[in-house]
Amino acid sequence: MTRFVQGGPSLRDPYTADPQLRGWLDRLLGEDGHAAAGQRLAGLSAEVLGPLREAHHDAETHPPALTRFDAWGRRVERVDTSAGWQAQRAAAARHGVVALPYLPDARAAWGPGARVVQHALLHLWGPESATFSCPVAMADGAAALLAQSGAQGGWLARLTSTDPDVAVTSGQWMTESQGGSDIARSTTTAHPDGSGGWRLTGDKWFCSAIDSAMAVALARPEGAGPGSRTLVPFLVPRYAADGVRPAEGLQVLRLKDKLGTRAVPTGEVRLDGVEAFPLADPARPGLAAMMTLVVVTRLHNAAAAAGGMRRGLEYALSYAAERTIAGGVLADHPLHRATLGGLAVDAAGAFALAAHSFALLGRAEHGDAAAAAELRLAAPLAKLTTGRLAVASASEYLEAFGGAGYVEDTGIPRLLRDAQVLPIWEGTTNVLSVDVLRALSAADGAAPLLHRLTAAADAGAGAHRLPGVAEALAAATARLAADVATAAADPRNPRVVAGARELALRLGHAFTAALLIEHAAWAAGRGDERPALLASLWTLRRLGQADISADLHEHFAALI
């Protein structure tokens, strides 16, 4: 008896086979700027197809372990990680995934666009990184905070090094068991040690990348008032001067047994007089300084969502092209084509949000006040919108594989397990929605978004491939303008707060439509019609609530 064996999905080169990524790089960097980044991106893509996929698998199948004591009872607090995790650490440094926006030659070559190139690196590498993209995100946020505060002490150079033997990553210790996202209830205290330094005391509940060489922790300085604004970020060295022993007074109470991101060592930490260095003036409220880090990590979260969606789509497309069903190949079935086409549209939308937000970050870091103002709303919108899209898409990807999608050793279930962290880390959807209300209540908080929507509605036929797009945009803009005005006038009104999630998601979907149409208008001038098709389908479904199934089937080949 001959046993049938279904072949697994293969992966195309994630750089050359992604026309959206390449098109956005051309537009945001110019063709010369894209060409200057091409070798760097192609080199990383080649590693993703080979050794990094192997390292990813090794790290996922050999999770971290905590050793609290050595054989003689001495506390060591050692976190052991796999060879694959260490290979990802080295690759992140070597390819400058954190360092790029801080390197003088990159800033000279691309200016604010260095953040655009960084996002492209994350998009290629993140899905095969065993979620090493998490410590990368926190290292980038810590570097941004240190660069702003000036309190470097050699740490900034290590965070942004491209030498694997020098580069370090950072943890982020914010939450506590009694408060979670409500950091106002933080009980970790900071007190002067009498010799000009500071010591932290308290428990931190969710500390990712606990093997990192340092962490940024929130604490309340001695004598500071209650609430969240008076908290101050502190740099905490994870290890003693020898780099091996734990810092004095630091205990890792346990590692978390998580639904996903299993390769990332995440722990609970007790601080008992641990040495720390303030990254803002301890005599002044410091939460605003911490937001420098949070904005960066939220954008990394969006990049992880968009990258994972694109990679899941690649796997599902590959499988559909090989899997036979009654009547032929799965990829030729109209209903499956419509399903995968819809996932392609969602992946395109998530990419647009993440890519635009990184571009805004780069401009803001180079002194562009308008970009900084837009980023205050774009960052929470990008994070919450892509997080929700990623979970929904991951569930569809599992379903696209049938029973194989439910079998752990195919690797497919990891797509859903890892996606579920994205709407949680750096603020749940509800927490981010309240942040959106705060951003809307600022002066002209929604003005950049509404301006983009108006311009998108006025775009020519080159950006609107299907009928009804302009009408859907115009109706959505009018409704949003009215709802935003109501929310901005009284953001604490219980009715406004109760509707914050729905409003934030509508804003995120509308923002995405505008970004896709902007890109489509540019691409139309180059004879590329695919972006206009994606923009039209996104707008009709997300803003016009239209059934686009037939269009997804008809235009399937153009979408993928």
Side-chain angles (χ1 to χ4, degrees):
M1 177 179 175
T2 302
R3 181 171 178 267
F4 172 77
V5 177
Q6 173 65 48
S10 59
L11 179 64
R12 298 183 294 176
D13 184 292
Y15 174 50
T16 60
D18 190 339
Q20 185 180 29
L21 170 64
R22 296 175 67 85
W24 276 67
L25 288 171
D26 279 344
R27 181 166 72 91
L28 296 179
L29 300 177
E31 291 189 5
D32 289 343
H34 182 185
Q39 185 174 357
R40 180 185 292 270
L41 296 172
L44 176 56
S45 188
E47 285 199 39
V48 165
L49 289 169
L52 288 180
R53 293 187 78 192
E54 297 173 7
H56 167 86
H57 178 73
D58 179 70
E60 289 288 341
T61 53
H62 298 90
L66 171 64
T67 300
R68 293 190 180 88
F69 301 95
D70 68 10
W72 302 99
R74 182 176 58 183
R75 185 175 289 278
V76 292
E77 307 292 347
R78 189 179 71 244
V79 176
D80 294 311
T81 55
S82 68
W85 185 253
Q86 296 305 321
Q88 294 289 353
R89 181 191 302 278
R94 195 171 58 251
H95 289 281
V97 182
V98 174
L100 190 75
Y102 305 90
L103 298 178
D105 59 343
R107 294 169 73 90
W110 298 294
R115 284 288 186 185
V116 174
V117 180
Q118 180 193 34
H119 171 251
L121 293 170
L122 291 167
H123 190 72
L124 298 173
W125 169 72
E128 312 292 338
S129 71
T131 329
F132 197 85
S133 53
C134 171
V136 158
M138 294 185 292
D140 190 3
L145 179 55
L146 265 64
Q148 182 183 79
S149 70
Q152 300 175 13
W155 286 103
L156 180 59
R158 298 180 68 190
L159 287 167
T160 58
S161 175
T162 57
D163 181 350
D165 293 331
V166 175
V168 299
T169 56
S170 176
Q172 183 175 328
W173 301 350
M174 294 177 64
T175 61
E176 300 180 11
S177 59
Q178 74 280 3
S181 295
D182 182 11
I183 58 174
R185 300 173 64 190
S186 175
T187 60
T188 300
T189 58
H191 57 276
D193 63 6
S195 60
W198 289 80
R199 301 280 171 170
L200 303 192
T201 299
D203 288 355
K204 293 297 184 181
W205 187 78
F206 205 93
C207 305
S208 287
I210 194 62
D211 59 331
S212 293
M214 58 162 281
V216 176
L218 277 179
R220 195 179 310 282
E222 191 176 76
S228 61
R229 294 181 182 276
T230 57
L231 297 173
V232 171
F234 286 81
L235 189 158
V236 181
R238 167 72 171 83
Y239 300 100
D242 60 9
V244 177
R245 292 176 295 115
E248 182 182 355
L250 189 151
Q251 297 181 38
V252 180
L253 301 179
R254 63 167 176 160
L255 294 185
K256 301 285 192 182
D257 186 9
K258 298 166 293 179
L259 169 68
T261 65
R262 293 177 178 173
V264 183
T266 303
E268 294 181 27
V269 174
R270 173 158 295 165
L271 308 172
D272 187 8
V274 174
E275 182 181 35
F277 303 91
L279 298 177
D281 184 351
R284 300 168 60 88
L287 186 63
M290 187 67 171
M291 290 307 296
T292 297
L293 183 154
V294 171
V295 167
V296 171
T297 51
R298 284 178 174 175
L299 299 194
H300 276 261
N301 198 93
M309 291 170 68
R310 176 68 194 185
R311 195 61 48 84
L313 177 66
E314 282 290 312
Y315 287 130
L317 289 170
S318 171
Y319 186 73
E322 298 294 332
R323 180 66 172 172
T324 57
I325 59 171
V329 178
L330 182 58
D332 292 335
H333 193 282
L335 181 54
H336 199 65
R337 287 162 67 92
T339 301
L340 293 181
L343 291 167
V345 173
D346 284 349
F351 176 89
L353 272 176
H356 178 70
S357 298
F358 268 81
L360 285 178
L361 176 62
R363 288 165 48 198
E365 290 175 332
H366 281 71
D368 187 329
E374 184 176 354
L375 188 60
R376 281 194 286 272
L377 180 59
L381 284 180
K383 193 276 184 189
L384 73 88
T385 305
T386 58
R388 302 298 299 180
L389 288 170
V391 174
S393 294
S395 180
E396 289 283 4
Y397 294 140
L398 263 67
E399 193 172 340
F401 283 86
Y406 203 66
V407 177
E408 190 65 45
D409 59 5
T410 65
I412 307 302
R414 183 189 58 79
L415 298 176
L416 183 57
R417 288 192 286 102
D418 287 355
Q420 189 58 64
V421 77
L422 296 168
I424 295 173
W425 187 56
E426 290 300 9
T428 62
T429 305
N430 283 0
V431 169
L432 271 291
S433 297
V434 174
D435 283 356
V436 167
L437 291 182
R438 294 192 188 99
L440 292 177
S441 64
D444 297 325
L449 188 155
L450 294 175
H451 175 74
R452 288 184 185 279
L453 282 173
T454 301
D458 294 338
H464 300 166
R465 276 289 307 280
L466 301 174
V469 173
E471 293 80 2
L473 272 168
T477 302
R479 183 185 173 197
L480 280 172
D483 292 344
V484 163
T486 300
D490 190 3
R492 296 186 179 181
N493 183 295
R495 293 182 63 84
V496 170
V497 175
R501 174 193 281 244
E502 194 268 346
L503 175 60
L505 287 170
R506 283 196 292 122
L507 283 166
H509 292 160
F511 191 22
T512 303
L515 296 174
L516 288 171
I517 289 172
E518 286 177 15
H519 182 66
W522 171 85
R526 296 158 54 96
D528 182 2
E529 297 184 349
R530 180 178 182 271
L533 184 60
L534 289 166
S536 296
L537 290 168
W538 171 278
T539 303
L540 291 172
R541 180 167 62 174
R542 295 291 177 181
L543 302 190
Q545 307 303 310
D547 180 1
I548 59 171
S549 303
D551 291 305
L552 291 169
H553 162 59
E554 179 182 350
H555 298 290
F556 177 71
L559 294 175
I560 63 171

